[in-house]
Amino acid sequence: MDLGLDGKRALVLGASRGLGMAIAKSLAAEGAQVFAAARSKDKIEAWSAGTDGVTPVALDLARIEEVDALADMLLQDGGVDIIVNNGGGPPPGTAAGANRADWIAHFEAMAANIFHLDTRLLPAMQERGWGRIISVASSGVEQPIPNLALSNGIRSAVIGWSKTLANEVAADGVTVNVVLPGRIHTQRVDELDAAAAKRTGKDVADVAAASRGTIPAGRYGKPEEFADVVTFLASARAGYVTGSRIRVDGGSIKSI
Ligand SMILES: NC(=O)c1ccc[n+]([C@@H]2O[C@H](COP(=O)([O-])OP(=O)(O)OC[C@H]3O[C@@H](n4cnc5c(N)ncnc54)[C@H](OP(=O)(O)O)[C@@H]3O)[C@@H](O)[C@H]2O)c1
């Protein structure tokens, strides 16, 4: 299947490792020109060495001046055709224990600054009559994950924003979708399993096995499996898919 991605300009956020890196690699392999952004530009330079079509960019999503500088830089050459909204997850914690400062700081980095960046890049997509905006959220927006109050709450705002925007720009050829990872085997998941093992005094292999046991597929997903879905949504072939959320979770969510 020709995905029609050859020569498309794509911005992938949170692309120094994990899901963002897998998505950036997948889009580049399909011929897209990828701007891969994260705070650790050196890590992007390391994984993209020898890969055609990837431009590493230093970006801290918590710093609005850096977000605006990136938009300025991209708009000098007409902006981008595809945006993948992704970034770091917030720290764990209960809803009752979360304080106002944490809500505000993480809402800025995970939502407000991304909405702002996308809003700046959107008019160029509308003028061309073609665009793709894809946000990485979490299965926690459908089934809130205990002790991840900031994630469950802020990512739900991304869902509401995406659906509202999807309706506003569908007639301009711009699609807006959200992809929900369940448990995809990235470094972050290894770190979470290690933290759970430390907290409970259990062996990390037992913690990971118990976690895999809750997934109908019986295993963690591969970053490439997640990136394949995002790449399809970014493609010309997905032009009639908009305002949707798509799970990549091995069946974890307990409803259809
Ligand atoms: N993997 C899963 O199964 C899963 C499940 C549910 C939700 N998620 C969410 O999906 C997202 C990606 O997951 P992942 O497993 O790939 O996470 P990850 O390995 O922690 O990667 C996060 C990426 O975001 C970047 N980042 C973090 N803070 C940033 C900031 N302030 N500005 C710019 N970039 C920033 C990181 O790079 P730098 O540190 O270099 O900036 C890194 O490239 C996360 O938000 C995660 O919580 C993942």
Side-chain angles (χ1 to χ4, degrees):
M1 186 189 280
D2 177 8
L3 295 178
L5 284 165
D6 204 21
K8 293 288 187 202
R9 282 162 58 92
L11 170 64
V12 181
L13 304 175
S16 65
R17 67 178 204 172
L19 302 182
M21 178 178 73
I23 294 162
K25 283 183 181 176
S26 174
L27 290 171
E30 292 297 328
Q33 194 190 332
V34 179
F35 296 89
R39 291 169 302 183
S40 328
K41 188 181 172 192
D42 54 326
K43 287 189 192 159
I44 305 172
E45 285 166 346
W47 72 249
S48 67
T51 305
D52 282 344
V54 178
T55 304
V57 182
L59 171 73
D60 184 346
L61 282 164
R63 299 173 68 90
I64 191 64
E65 64 278 14
E66 292 189 20
V67 170
D68 270 318
L70 173 61
D72 290 342
M73 187 270 279
L74 293 169
L75 288 169
Q76 275 175 10
D77 293 315
V80 292
D81 306 294
I82 297 159
I83 309 173
V84 178
N85 296 323
N86 177 52
T94 60
N99 67 50
R100 183 176 176 276
D102 284 342
W103 279 111
I104 291 170
H106 290 287
F107 187 84
E108 275 192 0
M110 294 173 64
N113 291 354
I114 290 179
F115 301 163
H116 174 74
L117 175 62
D118 290 14
T119 306
R120 288 206 54 197
L121 296 172
L122 181 64
M125 292 181 179
Q126 290 173 293
E127 275 166 31
R128 283 192 289 274
W130 201 99
R132 301 283 184 265
I133 298 175
I134 301 154
S135 298
V136 176
S138 164
S139 59
V141 302
E142 296 200 352
Q143 205 166 276
I145 302 168
N147 207 40
L148 277 183
L150 289 169
S151 175
N152 297 333
I154 296 168
R155 293 187 201 282
S156 294
V158 174
I159 296 285
W161 173 83
S162 298
K163 185 65 185 176
T164 310
L165 181 64
N167 290 340
E168 291 169 5
V169 299
D172 300 326
V174 179
T175 68
V176 185
N177 292 292
V178 184
V179 189
L180 309 181
R183 204 83 166 152
I184 312 292
H185 199 178
T186 63
Q187 219 171 311
R188 174 177 161 85
V189 165
D190 282 338
E191 289 163 4
L192 291 173
D193 285 346
K198 199 171 168 194
R199 205 172 50 243
T200 56
K202 290 182 183 158
D203 191 80
V204 69
D206 294 337
V207 169
S211 175
R212 285 195 298 270
T214 65
I215 303 169
R219 65 176 177 87
Y220 290 160
K222 299 176 195 158
E224 296 74 22
E225 291 176 304
F226 188 85
D228 284 346
V229 176
V230 174
T231 300
F232 175 72
L233 290 171
S235 77
R237 308 303 282 262
Y240 205 58
V241 182
T242 194
S244 290
R245 54 185 188 202
I246 292 98
R247 301 173 188 160
V248 184
D249 72 347
S252 291
I253 293 289
K254 292 181 176 40
S255 67
I256 197 149

